[in-house]
Amino acid sequence: MPPRESYDWLRAHAVETATIGSALALLHWDQSTKMPPAGHAHRTAQVGILTKLLHERRTDPRVGEALDKARAELLREDPESEFTANVREWQRAYDRAVRIPTELAVATARAAAEGETAWKRARPDSDWQAFLPHLEEIVRLRREEAEAVGYANEPYDALLDEYEPGETAASLEPVLAGLRRELVPLLERILGAPRQPDRTLLTRHYPLGCQRALCREAVAAIGFDFEAGRIDPTAHPFSTRIGPGDVRITTRYNEHAFGEGFFGAIHEAGHALYSQGIPGAHFGTPCGVSVSLGVHESQSRLWENMVARSRGFWRHFLPRAEERFDCLRGVELDAFVLAVNDVRPSLIRVEADEVTYNLHVLLRFGLELALLRGRLEPRDLPGAWDESMRALLGLTPPDLADGVMQDVHWSAGLLGYFPTYTLGNLYAAQLFEAAGRELGGGPQGLDERFAAGDFAPLLGWLREKVHVHGSRFVPRELMRRATGAELGHEAFMRYLTAKYEALYGL
């Protein structure tokens, strides 16, 4: 088969595989939103069968043969072309997949499905002993996967590379260490500031129906297309792309915690805007999927924090919120903006503010490294968690539900995932800084646009610089092209320092 015919076969095979994968994504969405409790056992069987089918397709020897032939065309292709990017990423995915035995892939998928169900049942009662066997199995399988995939330096790199291509523990540790060195002094300054928010503003009575309506209005305003998506309640917020024209987001609401539902919805809408901005014509190919979780997270954190917690955003949306919530009548803009940017150490990562959030990620990154390096066993996680929480945030969880059991990730097998959250924050700051510069007026210019309810210029810039490329470029190269800067913590600290010095009168 000639190189071009081989490429066409690869593309058709990949599109069909992605279509099957989209059915699996729909099953996962249903499991987290609508499925009755008694359906979990059957869902685990469904996930196992589809995972086996997908793994067999991804490791089909014909894929390897077609790649060998298609690569012969690369020397004649533009290194930045769709052809080159797709062949490069197909080869990368194939090389990883063929190293993982089908039995291991299926066992991991089943363990994750069972683990997530066990976590949901055990977390409300902090029942660690009921959840521990599932976690032990997941960690064992992920360690086995790391060895099967292989690594140059340490097992953690084999798992991290799945979510953030090209990154390693060694490449991240100095960036995170530099961030920690500057975060802690800024946090201390903020906590000692004379100006502090009225924390009761966000814990008043916010009827759930009105919250849902405001969330829907806000995510539509920033660009989420409801003709190609939907929003639903769930226990742990997430976003998922089922396929072209079907991108779904979720959030969880609390009558006495306005930020939980609202900022959860904006965060997931940020992910969804990226997914909706990837050209549907490329579905099933690397140019039709996001490049990494860190880049994906940059979109959600940018919209949640840099847009939706800005003064300009609330100049536009506070009057609309006042129309829906009696408890906000007469609340001053500056008081509300300070409240939604409240900084204080807290137990829960998803509820953490911008300044302390990355300390939560550093905690999890350290524990994951210890697990994969064999220095920590799952049974010892509760004690290690509490010790790290005290060291980083000065807090001790009152129970396991708000401690080591608070995140769904480990129950779902997502070891190596957490650093992508901090990468997202760092990339978001670099993108926001570059967008302000190129759209004109810097951060103040963006804020004025938000105050006028005009979010389209920023979304359009992100579509051009990030979304449309899919995985055409590796993450660091994509960000370098978009921002003109290398990965670092400097832009993030410039953003935090300027914002919180103004808010807190430092």
Side-chain angles (χ1 to χ4, degrees), residues 217-272:
E217 180 183 354
V219 300
I222 65 173
F224 182 74
D225 181 4
F226 275 99
E227 290 297 309
R230 56 181 292 135
I231 181 171
D232 295 274
T234 191
H236 191 96
F238 66 94
S239 169
T240 188
R241 184 190 190 210
I242 307 300
D246 190 353
V247 177
R248 307 185 183 198
I249 62 177
T250 67
T251 192
R252 62 185 178 203
Y253 301 99
N254 184 327
E255 282 189 329
H256 295 285
F258 171 80
E260 190 171 323
F262 186 83
F263 292 110
I266 297 291
H267 178 99
E268 300 307 334
H271 282 301

Side-chain angles (χ1 to χ4, degrees), residues 152 165 171 266 344:
S171 69
I266 297 291
R344 51 175 165 165

Side-chain angles (χ1 to χ4, degrees), residues 140-207:
R140 182 187 70 79
L141 290 168
R142 292 294 271 164
R143 284 172 173 168
E144 188 177 335
E145 180 180 331
E147 295 301 324
V149 169
Y151 47 86
N153 296 310
E154 60 175 300
Y156 193 81
D157 296 344
L159 303 186
L160 174 62
D161 187 70
E162 180 181 3
Y163 308 117
E164 202 63 29
E167 294 295 344
T168 64
S171 69
L172 288 182
E173 285 182 296
V175 176
L176 299 184
L179 178 62
R180 179 178 178 177
R181 281 194 301 271
E182 295 190 36
L183 270 180
V184 173
L186 176 61
L187 175 60
E188 291 172 351
R189 290 176 64 204
I190 293 170
L191 294 179
R195 184 187 302 167
Q196 292 292 325
D198 178 357
R199 291 167 177 162
T200 68
L201 283 180
L202 302 185
T203 59
R204 296 175 178 180
H205 183 236
Y206 292 89

Side-chain angles (χ1 to χ4, degrees), residues 115-129:
E116 187 172 346
T117 298
W119 170 79
K120 287 178 181 177
R121 291 173 176 166
R123 185 187 174 220
D125 298 321
S126 294
D127 192 349
W128 177 252
Q129 293 307 314

